Amino acid sequence: LNLGCATGHPSFVMSCSFTNQAMAQLELWANKTTGKFEKKVYILPKKLDEKVAKLHLTHLTANLTTLTKDQSEYIGVPVDGPYKPEQYRY
């Protein structure tokens, strides 16, 4: 769903949506000749979605720290994400 024509959404929500769209297009363009993507609908990879979230944290005056190896092993996720299991949907 493209929020560009929607009304009533805060600019922050629209910024996140547009950034997701732009990041997805950059990923498609970067892999246009690799055969990585067939012509079909894809769900945005969690890694890209989390990157978009990180880019917007300063707007919320949030400071994100990096997990240590011990922390990542304790909660069972890679240090650099994604931080949710594949079946989880945002």
Side-chain angles (χ1 to χ4, degrees):
L1 175 65
N2 186 337
L3 296 175
C5 298
T7 58
H9 294 290
S11 61
F12 182 77
V13 172
M14 295 181 77
S15 177
C16 291
S17 176
F18 295 148
T19 306
N20 272 333
Q21 291 175 39
M23 297 295 289
Q25 290 171 16
L26 289 169
E27 179 73 9
L28 290 171
W29 182 261
N31 290 286
K32 66 182 177 182
T33 59
T34 66
K36 181 178 179 180
F37 296 106
E38 299 175 26
K39 292 182 181 179
K40 65 179 193 175
V41 176
Y42 290 90
I43 295 173
L44 187 70
K46 291 189 184 346
K47 194 118 173 144
L48 283 180
D49 201 41
E50 290 174 0
K51 184 175 182 178
V52 169
K54 283 181 187 179
L55 291 170
H56 283 83
L57 285 176
T58 55
H59 177 76
L60 301 171
T61 62
N63 181 26
L64 184 67
T65 60
T66 303
L67 289 175
T68 66
K69 186 175 185 283
D70 288 340
Q71 289 171 322
S72 71
E73 288 174 359
Y74 181 76
I75 61 175
V77 298
V79 170
D80 60 348
Y83 304 108
K84 297 287 185 181
E86 192 52 42
Q87 70 273 14
Y88 185 88
R89 296 289 173 239
Y90 296 104

